[in-house]
């Protein structure tokens, strides 16, 4: 997450910053979607134990493929 102190000289600059932040928020929607669908840490560890790395990776890739990063579709 990016934090920065900004001094705005005009309402136009404020509106431009609002638009920029809205775009950042929209571009990161995939992260919020993925977070809701990833298995819990406990489930991931269980998958690693019972199915190994390949089984764990397959479960993670399923979510990543469902919600790709913008530009990776």
């Amino acid at each position: 997450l990016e934090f920065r102190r900004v001094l705005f000289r005009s309402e136009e600059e404020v509106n431009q910053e609002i638009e920029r932040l809205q775009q950042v928020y929209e571009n990161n929607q995939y992260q919020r979607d993925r977070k809701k669908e990833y298995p819990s840490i406990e489930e991931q560890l269980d998958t690693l134990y019972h199915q190994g790395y390949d089984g764990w990776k397959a479960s993670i890739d399923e979510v990543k493929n469902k919600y790709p990063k913008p530009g990776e579709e």
Side-chain angles (χ1 to χ4, degrees):
L1 194 53
E2 177 184 322
F3 293 99
R4 60 185 184 160
R5 176 176 263 175
V6 180
L7 297 176
F8 298 105
R9 291 184 277 272
S10 68
E11 187 174 336
E12 180 182 350
E13 287 181 351
V14 171
N15 291 333
Q16 288 173 347
E17 182 66 5
I18 289 170
E19 287 178 29
R20 184 189 74 78
L21 292 171
Q22 183 64 38
Q23 188 64 45
V24 168
Y25 179 81
E26 290 170 8
N27 287 345
N28 293 326
Q29 181 63 48
Y30 77 96
Q31 293 174 342
R32 292 184 296 280
D33 293 337
R34 285 180 179 181
K35 187 173 184 173
K36 289 185 276 185
E37 295 231 8
Y38 280 136
S40 69
I41 294 299
E42 291 84 3
E43 292 170 314
Q44 289 185 45
L45 289 172
D46 192 58
T47 301
L48 272 169
Y49 181 80
H50 292 287
Q51 299 175 23
Y53 175 78
D54 291 335
W56 169 81
K57 183 147 177 36
S59 71
I60 297 301
D61 285 344
E62 185 177 317
V63 175
K64 286 186 171 195
N65 291 334
K66 185 174 180 181
Y67 301 107
K69 287 182 182 179
E72 290 186 0
E73 292 94 24

